[in-house]
Amino acid sequence: MAIVLGPNRYGKAETRLVRVHRDGETHGLVDLNVSVALSGDLTATHLTGDNSGVLPTDTMKNTVYAFARKHGVGEPEAFALLLARHFVVTQPQVHGAKVSIESFTWDRLGPHSFRRRGDHTRTTVVTVTEQATQVVSGVTGLVLLNSTDSEFHGFVEDEFTTLPPATDRILATAVDARWRHRDDGADWAKSYEGALDALVGAFVDTYSYSLQQTLYAMGSRLLEARPEVAEVRLALPNKHHYLADLSPFGLDNPNEVFIAGDRPYGLIEGSVTRDDAPPATAGWWL
Ligand SMILES: O=c1[nH]c(=O)c2[nH]c(=O)[nH]c2[nH]1
């Protein structure tokens, strides 16, 4: 009886690439999750740890970002073909390459503003006691992105600060908002649609120096637009997009190729209210 190595492959899974195509004022946005799996003559590393035929998975990830800059990203099929052929053609020990891509679709809200397609959730919490009725409406999972008009600098720096100041960054968030109504008599459909338009409109229109500033703009716009609302609470995750460093590959990166971060993320939370708002009559969110 002999023990033998069976089929195997390896690669970098889930490279999160955001590519901004900046043709003038109107930006294009491609948002991909790219997974690469290579197969070929890989017996040595499995049996003895001889890595002489192993292209690091880290290199595969770098190739995804470098190709995005060099060639741009069009249809996912074309980008996957480009990558898969590259690995098979340039690595003699690689005989097969599988490139899988998930594409996230964004709907345009403006020249450089986008809403990720996919359903956000409308929420309602009603609390009735013998004394009072409270209606809270809200939305979760509304993903918005501005590919410019966002800066972040002038912040506190201590001995642990490494964040470079940003004068042109991506600002993206998944809006989680709740708003408390003054009473129980609103036109709920109209109120919800108006509230959503106000939140989205303020995100799109605000030239932002911090997500905190955008949060306040969104809350204020909602209160201005909807007199029936007494208070808005927002929790905005800062969905970080890191500029990919392509300089080791002789490529510049003029704000076009981004690593979409997963976690950790900044979480900006706050309430915006009216000074004459009736007090809440029940505990609510946040
Ligand atoms: O808009 C931001 N607000 C912050 O408080 C913060 N902190 C950070 O690291 N990046 C950002 N961005």
Side-chain angles (χ1 to χ4, degrees):
M1 198 267 309
I3 293 172
V4 293
L5 175 69
N8 60 85
R9 64 185 179 193
Y10 81 112
K12 188 67 97 191
E14 306 211 38
T15 294
R16 289 285 290 107
L17 162 70
V18 167
R19 175 69 159 95
V20 177
H21 293 102
R22 296 171 166 257
D23 299 324
E25 289 292 289
T26 302
H27 294 179
L29 190 73
V30 178
D31 183 359
L32 303 181
N33 194 21
V34 181
S35 295
V36 174
L38 305 185
S39 55
D41 295 334
L42 295 160
T43 308
T45 188
H46 287 92
L47 301 195
T48 70
D50 170 359
N51 294 326
S52 55
V54 177
L55 181 76
T57 67
D58 188 65
T59 305
M60 302 175 203
K61 174 205 69 187
N62 289 344
T63 309
V64 170
Y65 291 116
F67 272 33
R69 170 72 185 119
K70 259 170 104 160
H71 307 292
V73 185
E75 294 301 314
E77 288 80 0
F79 193 58
L81 280 165
L82 194 69
L83 283 164
R85 287 189 177 132
H86 163 81
F87 293 118
V88 173
V89 167
T90 60
Q91 298 296 318
Q93 75 288 11
V94 170
H95 304 316
K98 175 180 172 184
V99 176
S100 317
I101 298 185
E102 294 174 330
S103 304
F104 305 108
T105 307
W106 293 77
D107 294 320
R108 182 175 291 286
L109 296 170
H112 52 256
S113 300
F114 304 87
R115 167 161 46 193
R116 201 166 116 172
R117 199 174 295 170
D119 275 347
H120 45 268
T121 304
R122 176 176 168 178
T123 65
T124 307
V125 177
V126 168
T127 311
V128 174
T129 64
E130 280 153 355
Q131 289 76 37
T133 294
Q134 180 172 283
V135 180
V136 174
S137 302
V139 66
T140 62
L142 173 67
V143 183
L144 303 175
L145 183 150
N146 285 330
S147 55
T148 188
D149 286 3
S150 167
E151 308 189 17
F152 186 67
H153 46 77
F155 42 78
V156 173
E157 295 188 46
D158 70 4
E159 70 266 44
F160 302 116
T161 303
T162 59
L163 184 74
T167 52
D168 189 3
R169 66 173 185 172
I170 285 182
L171 186 68
T173 190
V175 178
D176 196 352
R178 304 279 189 280
W179 48 97
R180 179 168 64 83
H181 296 270
R182 278 182 179 277
D183 56 44
D184 58 359
D187 175 339
W188 304 117
K190 200 166 151 216
S191 180
Y192 175 75
E193 289 307 326
L196 209 62
D197 283 351
L199 292 171
V200 171
F203 181 88
V204 170
D205 294 345
T206 302
Y207 190 109
S208 175
Y209 292 91
S210 67
L211 187 50
Q212 289 88 332
Q213 180 196 4
T214 297
L215 179 149
Y216 184 71
M218 293 168 78
S220 330
R221 179 86 68 101
L222 195 159
L223 290 178
E224 280 156 18
R226 305 307 319 171
E228 71 277 16
V229 174
E231 181 183 356
V232 189
R233 295 181 182 178
L234 290 142
L236 300 179
N238 191 352
K239 293 173 78 71
H240 303 300
H241 288 72
Y242 305 103
L243 196 65
D245 177 10
L246 305 178
S247 60
F249 324 121
L251 296 169
D252 64 352
N253 187 359
N255 259 350
E256 293 191 342
V257 178
F258 294 89
I259 303 162
D262 174 16
R263 54 188 75 171
Y265 53 87
L267 182 59
I268 310 302
E269 303 174 277
S271 156
V272 186
T273 187
R274 304 177 193 280
D275 57 10
D276 65 345
T281 57
W284 61 302
W285 188 72
L286 276 181

